[in-house]
Amino acid sequence: MKTRLLLCLLCAVIITGCKKDKPFLPDVDPPVETPVNKPFAVANVLQSNMVIQRDKPARIWGYGKASGVVTVIASWSNGPLTATINSHGEWEVNLAAAPANAIAQTVSVSTPGETTITLTDILIGDVWVCAGQSNMVMPVGPLPPSFGGVENYEVEIADANYPQIRSLTVKEDYQSAPIDQFTNPSGWTICAPATVGGLSATAYFFARKLHTELNVPIGIIVSAVNGSWCETWANNAALQGPLSSYTGQHQSSMLFNGMIAPLSKLSVKGFTWYQGENNQKMIPVTDYTKLNIALINGWRSVFAQGELPFYYVQITPFDDDARGDETENYLAKFRETQMKVREGIGGTGMAITIDAGEKDNHHPRYKKQVGDRLALLALNRTYLKNVQCIGPQYASFSQSGNTITINFVNSTATGLTTMGNKPLKQYFFVAGADRVFRLALASISGDKIMLIVPNGTPSPVVAVRYAFTNYPLTNLQNNAGLPMEPFRTDNWTN
């Protein structure tokens, strides 16, 4: 009996010692990834006649058969560069940064067994992405029925002989996820009288002023769609967290996916932006500030080139409801949210258009003013040129008896005057403790504005507003011809 018990104990010890925590599994090789073979090509944003960004590495990328070797030769670069096509059928090389060059250059791309791809007439300069909605779309020439062309468009078209300005107009494309190249690519175009009529006027005048001031080639990529929303242009990652309620609204991120994402490997100088009309009645309207800042951060992150400059346009005066009510101010409150974008994020600037609208036209003809003012922001802040880039900006007010003095931010109101030296348009309003705004008679006094407090206003004045309505077409400016910015000193809801 004892012998049998000892044998049982011995068997139990042996079994326990042999037991494993996990069952034995034989070694299995990981699944083999099937290589993707794509037709040999360069990315379709890279074309003849384009502008390559100066002073930054230039990425050349494309597609082909997995494991193949691609050779890239750029006429301005020393020696060939090679890349092996990865298992996804993709390749890329980075050319060393080069200075501006207006002499036509070439890039050749080859791989064994395929026809060499050659891109010709490439210039090296500055590349700007110009995005937004219809006012960025509107061309130099007429676009019936909504746009009759810019001021003097016949003359502007005839004079548009600027072969060092190149443009790419991206075709409208809503995509559910980011794509790496355009589904329906356009070609890069050389600026000439025969081509400029259909080009974005705001982008063209922006490029023209930069080119004539800097004497370097300028490339503009116009990526804009009529009637589009800010959230439709913001990448999906930018709409997370506090802005997640905008995910799924107005085809959120779909224009970014189809019209911005394919550009993100390009080296660029910066962005211009003309959008807001679709968002002007959003609730709460203050969310536009957050949305636009999120868009800017998102684009900067995706392009991965640091704090790329972002210059945008404050929407113009317009009687949106066609009611002729000069007291309505919901557009003024929207312009205020646009103004707060530049306060909330660095590397930005806002072009003022309060003097360049048309009461009955959502697409005013005054696009040269808009493009030039965007260019002035870039010249001053990106290129560090000594040019005035902003109009008079409110700083403070003081009251002495029946007189209000408006003071301006230093150097913004130098040579305060009116357009064409015409009588000053009266858009200053003051309010006392009753919060009733009354029109105050305004006059220019050196670099200040003097207001006469209207009868019936409780003293002291506690709030001042300028051009804080839907469609005040102003004429107050500094000696650089830049308009005074609308403002209010209160935060009342009325």
Side-chain angles (χ1 to χ4, degrees):
M1 188 70 176
K2 289 183 179 179
T3 302
R4 183 179 298 176
L5 180 61
L6 288 173
L7 287 173
C8 288
L9 289 173
L10 181 60
C11 288
V13 170
I14 293 172
I15 292 171
T16 302
C18 293
K19 184 179 180 182
K20 294 182 179 292
D21 293 333
K22 295 181 181 179
F24 174 77
L25 295 175
D27 291 335
V28 177
D29 292 332
V32 177
E33 186 176 23
T34 303
V36 175
N37 294 322
K38 297 181 179 180
F40 179 57
V42 296
N44 57 25
V45 71
L46 305 173
Q47 301 176 25
S48 296
N49 304 325
M50 72 179 298
V51 176
I52 295 286
Q53 177 60 46
R54 62 171 166 162
D55 303 327
K56 289 185 178 183
R59 185 179 294 167
I60 307 295
W61 73 99
Y63 312 92
K65 295 179 181 178
S67 301
V69 176
V70 174
T71 300
V72 178
I73 300 175
S75 58
W76 69 89
S77 184
N78 292 327
L81 293 177
T82 60
T84 300
I85 304 171
N86 66 22
S87 60
H88 301 291
E90 301 167 347
W91 58 267
E92 68 176 57
V93 301
N94 286 288
L95 301 171
N101 193 336
I103 299 172
Q105 305 292 320
T106 62
V107 172
S108 67
V109 183
S110 60
T111 192
E114 300 283 358
T115 302
T116 297
I117 299 170
T118 303
L119 309 181
T120 61
D121 197 13
I122 294 173
L123 305 182
I124 303 175
D126 287 335
V127 180
W128 289 83
V129 177
C130 305
Q133 63 177 104
S134 57
N135 273 306
M136 183 63 84
V137 172
M138 293 301 117
V140 176
L143 183 65
S146 61
F147 189 63
V150 302
E151 286 181 291
N152 304 314
Y153 70 85
E154 299 95 339
V155 174
E156 295 289 3
I157 290 174
D159 290 344
N161 187 25
Y162 295 97
Q164 290 184 40
I165 296 177
R166 310 292 176 84
S167 64
L168 174 70
T169 300
V170 179
K171 294 179 181 178
E172 182 176 330
D173 192 6
Y174 291 79
Q175 292 286 333
S176 59
I179 57 176
D180 59 357
Q181 66 170 342
F182 299 119
T183 57
N184 188 15
S186 303
W188 280 83
T189 302
I190 300 172
C191 180
T195 61
V196 78
L199 177 60
S200 162
T202 297
Y204 165 67
F205 289 118
F206 170 76
R208 187 177 77 176
K209 189 165 186 67
L210 290 186
H211 171 60
T212 55
E213 293 285 340
L214 301 170
N215 195 30
V216 298
I218 300 293
I220 44 175
I221 301 174
V222 181
S223 195
V225 173
N226 295 337
S228 53
W229 299 74
C230 185
E231 52 266 43
T232 319
W233 291 101
N235 62 311
N236 186 62
L239 297 179
Q240 304 310 305
L243 295 173
S244 60
S245 62
Y246 290 93
T247 302
Q249 286 195 23
H250 304 125
Q251 298 172 295
S252 64
S253 303
M254 293 183 72
L255 288 178
F256 168 85
N257 295 339
M259 300 177 67
I260 299 296
L263 304 172
S264 61
K265 287 187 177 183
L266 282 178
S267 291
V268 299
K269 192 69 174 178
F271 307 104
T272 66
W273 174 251
Y274 195 166
Q275 192 276 334
E277 293 88 347
N278 264 46
N279 289 87
Q280 65 193 19
K281 293 182 181 179
M282 64 188 296
I283 299 173
V285 70
T286 51
D287 267 9
Y288 187 82
T289 304
K290 303 171 188 175
L291 272 175
N292 210 350
I293 288 175
L295 179 147
I296 295 167
N297 280 326
W299 288 16
R300 287 174 173 172
S301 175
V302 169
F303 278 75
Q305 295 169 52
E307 191 179 82
L308 288 169
F310 190 100
Y311 302 123
Y312 63 97
V313 183
Q314 190 179 53
I315 63 172
T316 60
F318 176 61
D319 187 7
D320 187 52
D321 292 323
R323 292 204 298 242
D325 186 347
E326 296 184 357
T327 66
E328 287 188 328
N329 62 11
Y330 60 85
L331 293 187
K333 291 176 180 176
F334 181 78
R335 293 186 196 103
E336 188 174 58
T337 70
Q338 291 183 297
M339 177 268 290
K340 290 180 179 179
V341 171
R342 69 183 181 194
E343 298 176 358
I345 186 170
T348 59
M350 182 175 72
I352 309 300
T353 63
I354 202 70
D355 62 334
E358 295 178 276
K359 172 187 171 184
D360 301 318
N361 186 0
H362 221 159
H363 303 128
R365 73 193 79 170
Y366 307 114
K367 296 294 186 284
K368 180 178 183 299
Q369 292 89 328
V370 180
D372 283 354
R373 291 168 189 176
L374 288 169
L376 288 173
L377 288 165
L379 287 168
N380 179 278
R381 298 177 180 182
T382 300
Y383 298 101
L384 305 180
K385 299 292 183 181
N386 184 24
V387 297
Q388 180 65 278
C389 68
I390 55 176
Q393 291 181 336
Y394 169 82
S396 64
F397 79 89
S398 60
Q399 182 172 2
S400 177
N402 205 36
T403 302
I404 299 286
T405 301
I406 303 294
N407 304 298
F408 295 93
V409 172
N410 186 42
S411 78
T412 66
T414 303
L416 203 59
T417 186
T418 61
M419 297 168 60
N421 292 314
K422 293 183 178 180
L424 175 60
K425 292 185 177 181
Q426 300 296 315
Y427 288 116
F428 286 91
F429 291 80
V430 298
D434 61 355
R435 295 194 176 190
V436 175
F437 281 95
R438 299 171 177 87
L439 182 65
L441 181 64
S443 60
I444 298 172
S445 178
D447 61 354
K448 301 180 186 300
I449 292 290
M450 312 302 292
L451 306 180
I452 302 300
V453 179
N455 293 332
T457 304
S459 188
V461 166
V462 297
V464 179
R465 292 180 176 182
Y466 170 68
F468 202 76
T469 53
N470 283 1
Y471 55 94
L473 295 169
T474 69
N475 67 350
L476 183 57
Q477 61 185 19
N478 59 18
N479 60 3
L482 297 172
M484 179 177 167
E485 298 192 11
F487 74 89
R488 64 169 171 166
T489 63
D490 63 277
N491 59 1
W492 303 338
T493 57
N494 63 318

